[in-house]
Amino acid sequence: MTAAARQEVVQARRVVVKVGSSSLTTAAGGLDADRVDALVDVLAKTREDREVVLVSSGAIAAGLAPLGLPRRPRDLARQQAAASVGQGLLVARYTASFARHGIRVGQVLLTSDDVSRRSHYRNAYRTLDQLLAMGALPIVNENDTVATDEIRFGDNDRLAALVAHLVRADLLVLLSDVDGLYDGDPRTPGTRLVGEVTGPGDLAGITIGSAGRAGVGTGGMVTKVEAAAIATGAGVPVVLTSAAHAADALAGRATGTYFHRTGKRSADRLLWLAHASAPRGSLRLDAGAVRAVTERHSSLLPAGLTAVEGDFTAGDPVDLLDESGRAVARGLVNFDARELPRLLGRSTHDLARELGPAYEREVVHRDDLVLLRRNQ
């Protein structure tokens, strides 16, 4: 780690730490109290001069053994049941462990729906910020007990990157069962640790695995690299290492992989809309509307619509498609799917005169719209 990178780590005043299931539980399921205590000891020390937010996996894994499940279930219903049992055990274990250091904890459970909508985003930020202001340590997890496939983050690496953006963190630390990013399978002789990543070009030619070794988590190295890209693109540097090296990572010592920031810090909630939401449908735009949305950053009006697909309600995320069917933007729609067909291609003035003033509004307001530049 370069001197500049070390300085960024040491000077970070607000830190988000993410820990994976494999670092907290046994492969058979159930919490490993010694592992939890070891992590808590490190975070308690870090918290002496910094604010810490913990994003913790482990709820589903912790619920496996108590429910007699031999492995992580594939179906959503049993995952939700395991999370319901395991989340209580996980927070109870953290509460007891942090209490040894006189630290209070607060549980915050999120779904992508909680933070892609404007008012929900503000509420999530205020809750986390107030917990920190009152001296509590927030423990964040996806709300697996109620999250459906449509509103799931999919993995806590991505959730951690988005939480780091939400709370305006100075650093994100991703803790895994692997001590960093390697240029191949770390179990293969001759592979090397990638010490620093300054941008996407540094990852060219690197084979990134997609499965965790312990079998109790949802992601692998690929989700961590993707999370690092989200965080660094939002101006938050990232350290990726193993839970065993957490103290070294937070102290700025050479360990794991350091991802340099590639973008600027922003308080824009639209990062969540782009990375944490799943579209419930799509709107096809004519060429003029595509230019208005992508080049002039305008709202989408009914006059620019040519077709509607999907079953969604007002407030849901939808993809905006160009004439070739390519998604160019995503936004929160202001109408139900059943309302839109009769609005296609019509001006807001005509709609207001015929249907009333409620129809003199944007289909997607520009404040609720984000360009999908990765698809352009």
Side-chain angles (χ1 to χ4, degrees):
M1 187 183 296
T2 63
R6 171 182 164 79
Q7 187 174 27
E8 281 198 321
V9 172
V10 172
Q11 292 181 345
R13 296 298 87 190
R14 180 172 285 186
V15 181
V16 172
V17 177
K18 184 267 177 178
V19 62
S21 300
S22 59
S23 300
L24 299 172
T25 60
T26 65
L31 290 170
D32 186 322
D34 291 338
R35 287 183 169 188
V36 173
D37 287 347
L39 173 65
V40 166
D41 290 345
V42 172
L43 297 183
K45 178 67 175 176
T46 300
R47 194 177 167 279
E48 290 176 0
D49 58 356
R50 292 190 266 189
E51 294 178 323
V52 176
V53 176
L54 175 61
V55 177
S56 178
S57 299
I60 293 177
L64 297 182
L67 289 176
L69 296 170
R71 64 185 64 84
R72 182 187 177 95
R74 294 180 179 234
D75 61 287
L76 183 59
R78 287 196 300 167
Q79 288 179 15
Q80 290 173 324
S84 178
V85 171
Q87 187 65 40
L89 296 172
L90 183 64
V91 172
R93 180 63 251 172
Y94 275 129
T95 300
S97 190
F98 275 109
R100 297 178 298 126
H101 300 276
I103 298 172
R104 297 180 302 277
V105 302
Q107 177 180 251
V108 180
L109 300 176
L110 298 174
T111 69
S112 65
D113 210 36
D114 291 325
V115 279
S116 58
R117 298 172 191 261
R118 188 183 310 163
S119 61
H120 295 193
Y121 178 90
R122 289 197 300 266
N123 289 338
Y125 170 74
R126 281 197 295 261
T127 298
L128 288 164
D129 195 57
Q130 191 61 51
L131 281 170
L132 291 169
M134 297 178 73
L137 189 148
I139 300 176
V140 182
N141 196 0
E142 179 165 12
N143 194 353
D144 289 308
T145 61
V146 299
T148 62
D149 287 335
E150 289 81 10
I151 59 173
R152 301 188 80 179
F153 293 104
D155 63 79
N156 274 351
D157 296 314
R158 181 167 54 153
L159 173 60
L162 294 165
V163 167
H165 170 261
L166 173 66
V167 302
R168 300 161 198 176
D170 304 306
L171 178 69
L172 170 62
V173 178
L174 298 174
L175 301 177
S176 176
D177 55 356
V178 180
D179 63 351
L181 174 64
Y182 284 78
D183 59 4
D185 188 331
R187 294 167 294 187
T188 302
T191 55
R192 295 183 305 105
L193 177 71
V194 179
E196 295 194 35
V197 175
T198 59
D202 292 346
L203 301 176
I206 295 178
T207 301
I208 301 173
S210 59
R213 292 199 308 227
V216 293
T218 59
M221 190 55 64
V222 65
T223 67
K224 291 163 181 56
V225 172
E226 289 172 353
I230 294 171
T232 56
V236 182
V238 177
V239 177
L240 167 62
T241 190
S242 66
H245 295 149
D248 288 337
L250 289 162
R253 291 188 283 270
T255 183
T257 304
Y258 183 84
F259 294 81
H260 291 260
R261 68 184 82 214
T262 59
K264 296 181 179 179
R265 293 174 62 89
S266 166
D268 193 346
R269 84 183 202 290
L270 296 181
L271 189 77
W272 288 78
L273 185 60
H275 293 286
S277 65
R280 312 287 177 85
S282 61
L283 308 176
R284 194 173 292 265
L285 284 55
D286 63 26
V290 171
R291 287 193 298 273
V293 166
T294 61
E295 297 175 14
R296 298 197 299 274
H297 303 285
S298 301
S299 299
L300 174 63
L301 301 176
L305 286 182
T306 62
V308 179
E309 299 173 0
D311 182 15
F312 51 82
T313 59
D316 283 344
V318 296
D319 276 351
L320 278 53
L321 312 181
D322 64 14
E323 293 177 300
S324 66
R326 181 182 56 143
V328 296
R330 183 171 297 160
L332 302 180
V333 66
N334 287 324
F335 295 91
D336 295 349
R338 58 180 174 78
E339 296 180 278
L340 285 173
R342 62 177 173 169
L343 312 185
L344 299 182
R346 303 182 63 185
S347 73
T348 53
H349 179 72
D350 288 343
L351 290 170
R353 183 175 56 193
E354 178 183 335
L355 302 174
Y359 287 85
E360 192 173 15
R361 68 184 191 273
E362 306 87 350
V363 176
V364 178
H365 193 278
R366 64 184 181 183
D367 290 344
D368 294 323
L369 188 152
V370 60
L371 299 184
L372 301 179
R373 293 185 177 87
R374 62 185 182 272
N375 295 323
Q376 295 183 329

